[in-house]
Amino acid sequence: MKLNNTNYFSPEAQMEYFGASQLKSFIQCENKAMAEISGEYKRPFSKALTMGSYVDAWFSDEMDDFIDLHPELFKKDGSLRADYVKCEQIIERAQKDSLFMGYMSGEKQKIMTGELFGYPFKIKMDSYHEGQMIVDLKVMASMLPVYSDGEWKTFIDAWGYDIQAYIYQQVVKYNTGKELPFYFAVLTKEDPTDLEVIHLPQWKINAAEAIVKHYVKEFDDVKRGVRPPKKCGKCDWCRQTKVLTAPIEYDDLLVG
């Protein structure tokens, strides 16, 4: 299946290819990931994600299409709602920094496909500098450490962005033979907006290889119906589809 901007997120593309977001979704809950691929589950509206998508759309020159898809951005009088006025301020801040804009000046939304460990993967890069580097745009609440799984982590570790970096880098290498350095171009929703260009060291990217290699065969088996998807029992989809079969014990409340 040849991918383009129209079919990149289609159910057919999601079934045929793995991607960074899909792999992370499977790690969180196989049941929910498969429901999303099949169309049974649709992610609820998230103001935070929509704000990030607004800034993404500006950098990728897709703002007109984005506005057409999101009439909720505007009040009845046609003016932007406050959250998206903030997005405009974030964009204005980025434009004032020449280094940031330089890193974001590569080819926009470049699509590539390739094989990792014998399985098909797809990527869509925010700013691809051919033969030089890969840059991914992130719009975050802040760049402060995040408390996750009982410990403080960088936002990169907490949200699995190192997995994304590994997949992007290796798919580019599959196509070009070159292992390019990976950067995050980060903007925050703080007032005032903070910004950084963050180089992810190669040792950190390499460490994510084991995670991808460990999970991809398992999840391919699920996608092909070799085994049923496991339920995490905690996410919104598992709660929505939960069927009681017997009472639980008091001690079960302590699990997890």
Side-chain angles (χ1 to χ4, degrees):
M1 180 179 182
K2 188 171 177 60
L3 299 180
N4 53 46
N5 284 330
T6 302
N7 66 12
Y8 187 85
F9 292 107
S10 67
E12 295 79 12
Q14 297 292 71
M15 183 59 75
E16 182 170 342
Y17 294 95
F18 282 100
S21 295
Q22 186 187 106
L23 194 75
K24 290 189 290 180
S25 293
F26 267 107
I27 292 171
Q28 292 166 0
C29 181
E30 296 177 1
N31 185 42
K32 181 175 176 177
M34 282 305 299
E36 189 166 10
I37 291 171
S38 69
E40 290 181 86
Y41 173 84
K42 295 190 182 300
R43 296 188 185 191
F45 173 78
S46 165
K47 187 180 294 182
L49 289 178
T50 306
M51 289 178 69
S53 297
Y54 185 105
V55 179
D56 281 339
W58 186 87
F59 275 99
S60 59
D61 300 322
E62 298 173 337
M63 185 58 78
D64 289 343
D65 292 337
F66 182 78
I67 288 174
D68 288 342
L69 291 172
H70 295 278
E72 71 275 8
L73 303 180
F74 298 93
K75 301 176 185 177
K76 290 182 179 179
D77 64 4
S79 61
L80 273 174
R81 296 187 182 277
D83 291 315
Y84 306 106
V85 171
K86 177 60 183 176
C87 290
E88 289 289 324
Q89 294 169 352
I90 292 171
I91 292 166
E92 288 174 12
R93 178 66 186 91
Q95 288 179 288
K96 293 177 181 177
D97 192 283
S98 58
L99 188 141
F100 190 95
M101 295 302 291
Y103 275 78
M104 287 303 301
S105 67
E107 185 177 353
K108 313 299 185 190
Q109 302 302 310
K110 174 67 174 178
I111 293 172
M112 284 188 184
T113 60
E115 284 190 6
L116 301 183
F117 312 110
Y119 299 95
F121 277 78
K122 62 185 177 75
I123 63 171
K124 195 175 188 184
M125 294 172 281
D126 291 330
S127 180
Y128 173 57
H129 299 251
E130 185 175 357
Q132 300 178 55
M133 59 184 165
I134 304 163
V135 183
D136 190 69
L137 177 66
K138 297 297 183 193
V139 181
M140 310 293 300
S142 77
M143 286 181 271
L144 295 173
V146 177
Y147 193 73
S148 174
D149 299 326
E151 60 179 321
W152 288 98
K153 302 178 180 179
T154 69
F155 73 87
I156 292 171
D157 293 313
W159 300 111
Y161 293 149
D162 53 336
I163 296 172
Q164 177 190 3
Y166 173 78
I167 292 171
Y168 278 37
Q169 186 188 69
Q170 293 306 306
V171 169
V172 170
K173 184 178 180 180
Y174 179 90
N175 284 273
T176 68
K178 295 182 178 181
E179 191 172 85
L180 301 184
F182 192 97
Y183 296 84
F184 292 106
V186 186
L187 295 162
T188 76
K189 300 171 189 174
E190 297 165 302
D191 190 15
T193 292
D194 197 4
L195 75 172
E196 288 289 357
V197 174
I198 303 170
H199 173 243
L200 195 63
Q202 192 58 44
W203 69 263
K204 183 63 178 170
I205 298 174
N206 291 345
E209 176 183 2
I211 300 172
V212 177
K213 186 176 182 179
H214 173 77
Y215 283 113
V216 65
K217 184 187 184 305
E218 287 189 43
F219 299 154
D220 186 65
D221 286 346
V222 175
K223 289 175 80 171
R224 292 187 297 108
V226 174
R227 67 167 175 84
K230 297 175 184 176
K231 299 179 179 180
C232 73
K234 299 175 182 178
C235 71
D236 55 345
W237 179 247
C238 284
R239 293 196 304 270
Q240 183 178 331
T241 57
K242 183 177 183 178
V243 177
L244 299 182
T245 57
I248 65 171
E249 296 296 331
Y250 163 80
D251 290 343
D252 293 330
L253 297 174
L254 299 174
V255 176

